[in-house]
């Protein structure tokens, strides 16, 4: 009885911890999105320099990651040659810098709620790019689901009260670059047996992002900031904003490491609905019934996609377990046959003697 009680207590503790990890990730992700919107929006803090903001994040994250890896030895660096770094990490850093630049730029032109609706296209982009790069197999059922998600987002865009074509192009570009980055991580790193947690990822990738962002910054934002000499750098605002961005990376590591990437996908859907509600009720963004209908349709498609992934994952685990059981049974049978043959040979030798 006591043993059963301990088991139930352990399961309950695991469930509570899982929900805690999810809550921490949702809170920090929520904070970073709202904070970035606050800084970049011309009607709020009015600092519309997305490249500069992204560079501040990357400089801050690079510095903290360097301290954690090299000074405090909190995380061991991954063994990586310069050749691998240039061929694998640098392209990923380029894609990440473009994704962050465009996604932060979109906050200047679009509402928080509409950006979350457009982000529902991420599974579509990841699957399509995976098929094009021959990382995923084409399945008509999956593609039909991707089309339904796209139709839902299209309806949401049609019903957007403050539609901005440039903002939509920026966000769609960010989705494409981010999806390509995720696929390239599987091709360039995971396939080679290299896994990077958020700290080592920032240690290797953030300096690349900083270098790549510096090039457009020199031509696009530096001249404007130079003219605006009266601007005062607010260390509290940008320091706390960068700290939130770094903490979010740690929360991702905690959530995926203690639960699964699928859990984060499901939690992301919950976060999106919370952001839409917050955007409508607090920021007073206009959310139309057509918006909600379209996003609801996309939400169902994303939910089905996650369900299919979970089902495939369970089937794969069951197949692996069955294979291991068959291999173990074969090994035991071979050992038994070997022992039987040994006994038979021994008896034969005894009869000959």
């Amino acid at each position: 009885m006591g043993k059963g009680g301990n088991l139930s207590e352990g399961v309950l503790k695991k469930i509570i911890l899982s929900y805690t990890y999810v809550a921490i990730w949702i809170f920090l992700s929520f904070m970073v999105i709202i904070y970035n919107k606050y800084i970049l929006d011309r009607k709020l803090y009015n600092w519309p320099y997305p490249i500069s903001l992204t560079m501040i994040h990357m400089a801050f994250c690079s510095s903290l990651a360097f301290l954690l890896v090299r000074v405090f030895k909190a995380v061991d660096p991954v063994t990586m040659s310069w050749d691998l770094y240039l061929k694998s990490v640098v392209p990923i850093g380029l894609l990440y810098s473009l994704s962050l630049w465009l996604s932060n730029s979109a906050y200047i032109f679009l509402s928080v709620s509409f950006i979350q609706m457009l982000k529902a296209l991420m599974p579509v982009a990841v699957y399509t790019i995976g098929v094009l790069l021959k990382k995923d197999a084409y399945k008509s059922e999956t593609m039909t689901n991707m089309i339904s998600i796209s139709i839902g987002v299209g309806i949401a865009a049609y019903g957007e009260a403050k539609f901005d074509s440039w903002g939509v192009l920026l966000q769609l570009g960010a989705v494409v670059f981010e999806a390509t980055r995720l696929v390239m991580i599987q091709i360039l790193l995971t396939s080679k047996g290299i896994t990077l947690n958020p700290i080592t990822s920032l240690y290797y990738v953030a300096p690349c992002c900083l270098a790549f962002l510096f090039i457009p910054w020199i031509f696009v934002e530096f001249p404007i900031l130079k003219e605006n000499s009266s601007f005062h750098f607010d260390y509290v605002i940008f320091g706390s904003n960068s700290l939130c961005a770094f903490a979010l990376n740690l929360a991702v590591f905690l959530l995926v490491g203690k639960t699964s990437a699928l859990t984060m996908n499901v939690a992301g859907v919950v976060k999106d609905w919370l952001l839409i509600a917050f955007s409508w009720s607090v920021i007073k963004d206009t959310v139309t019934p057509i918006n909600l209908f379209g996003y609801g349709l996309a939400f169902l498609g994303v939910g089905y996609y996650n369900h299919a992934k979970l089902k495939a994952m369970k089937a794969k685990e069951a197949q692996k377990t069955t294979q291991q059981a068959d291999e173990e049974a074969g090994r035991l049978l071979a050992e038994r046959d070997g022992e039987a043959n040994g006994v038979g040979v021994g008896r034969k030798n005894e009869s000959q003697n």
Side-chain angles (χ1 to χ4, degrees):
M1 186 74 177
K3 188 176 180 180
N6 292 335
L7 181 63
S8 299
E9 184 180 344
V11 171
L12 181 62
K13 184 178 179 181
K14 188 176 180 180
I15 292 172
I16 292 172
L17 283 174
S18 296
Y19 277 107
T20 302
Y21 300 140
V22 168
I24 291 171
W25 178 80
I26 288 177
F27 173 76
L28 288 171
S29 182
F30 191 98
M31 282 292 296
V32 169
I33 290 171
I34 297 300
Y35 214 155
N36 287 351
K37 174 67 175 177
Y38 168 75
I39 291 173
L40 294 167
D41 197 300
R42 288 189 173 90
K43 296 178 182 178
L44 300 173
Y45 189 75
N46 190 26
W47 201 70
Y49 305 108
I51 305 176
S52 301
L53 182 64
T54 310
M55 288 179 68
I56 292 170
H57 288 172
M58 292 298 102
F60 185 88
C61 290
S62 297
S63 302
L64 273 185
F66 178 83
L67 289 173
L68 290 171
V69 173
R70 291 297 181 184
V71 179
F72 298 109
K73 309 291 183 182
V75 178
D76 293 327
V78 176
T79 303
M80 189 180 301
S81 64
W82 271 106
D83 183 63
L84 180 63
Y85 183 82
L86 292 173
K87 291 181 179 179
S88 300
V89 175
V90 171
I92 291 170
L94 173 61
L95 292 167
Y96 195 35
S97 63
L98 291 170
S99 171
L100 291 173
W101 172 16
L102 296 184
S103 62
N104 282 334
S105 299
Y107 286 111
I108 300 173
F109 305 96
L110 302 176
S111 66
V112 171
S113 58
F114 187 44
I115 286 176
Q116 303 315 306
M117 294 176 189
L118 291 174
K119 284 182 180 180
L121 289 170
M122 184 61 71
V124 179
V126 171
Y127 178 72
T128 303
I129 293 169
V131 170
L132 291 174
L133 296 178
K134 298 181 179 180
K135 186 63 184 176
D136 287 322
Y138 175 83
K139 295 179 181 179
S140 56
E141 182 183 357
T142 305
M143 185 54 71
T144 301
N145 185 32
M146 297 299 105
I147 292 172
S148 71
I149 295 173
S150 303
I151 292 173
V153 173
I155 293 171
Y158 176 77
E160 176 61 18
K162 297 179 181 178
F163 185 89
D164 186 282
S165 301
W166 179 240
V168 171
L169 286 175
L170 287 171
Q171 185 56 47
L172 291 179
V175 168
V176 171
F177 283 124
E178 178 63 12
T180 307
R181 182 184 76 91
L182 295 174
V183 174
M184 294 304 287
I185 285 175
Q186 294 179 2
I187 294 173
L188 298 177
L189 292 178
T190 308
S191 61
K192 295 180 174 64
I194 298 173
T195 55
L196 300 176
N197 63 50
I199 297 176
T200 53
S201 178
L202 290 173
Y203 175 76
Y204 289 109
V205 176
C208 283
C209 291
L210 193 59
F212 282 121
L213 289 167
F214 183 76
I215 299 170
W217 179 77
I218 284 291
F219 298 101
V220 178
E221 293 185 2
F222 176 69
I224 302 173
L225 288 169
K226 191 177 180 181
E227 288 180 9
N228 190 14
S229 57
S230 61
F231 172 73
H232 173 69
F233 187 85
D234 194 329
Y235 289 95
V236 174
I237 290 290
F238 293 105
S240 57
N241 178 245
S242 300
L243 186 61
C244 286
F246 184 80
L248 177 59
N249 279 277
L250 299 184
V252 171
F253 174 60
L254 188 67
L255 180 60
V256 176
K258 299 297 183 180
T259 57
S260 67
L262 188 62
T263 301
M264 192 175 78
N265 289 340
V266 175
V269 174
V270 176
K271 178 206 69 179
D272 290 343
W273 279 111
L274 289 174
L275 279 166
I276 291 171
F278 182 86
S279 176
W280 170 73
S281 60
V282 179
I283 305 179
K284 302 301 179 183
D285 286 334
T286 303
V287 179
T288 67
I290 299 178
N291 273 148
L292 294 177
F293 174 76
Y295 183 67
L297 183 62
F299 164 75
L300 292 175
V302 173
Y304 180 79
Y305 174 74
N306 288 331
H307 171 73
K309 284 184 68 177
L310 179 61
K311 190 176 178 181
M313 192 184 303
K314 287 182 177 180
K316 189 175 180 180
E317 289 178 357
Q319 184 180 5
K320 187 178 179 180
T321 303
T322 303
Q323 185 178 355
Q324 289 176 345
D326 290 342
E327 289 175 357
E328 180 67 16
R331 185 181 65 80
L332 292 173
L333 185 61
E335 289 179 357
R336 189 185 67 182
D337 290 344
E339 290 175 359
N341 290 335
V343 172
V345 171
R347 289 177 176 173
K348 184 177 182 182
N349 291 335
E350 287 175 5
S351 64
Q352 288 177 350
N353 291 333

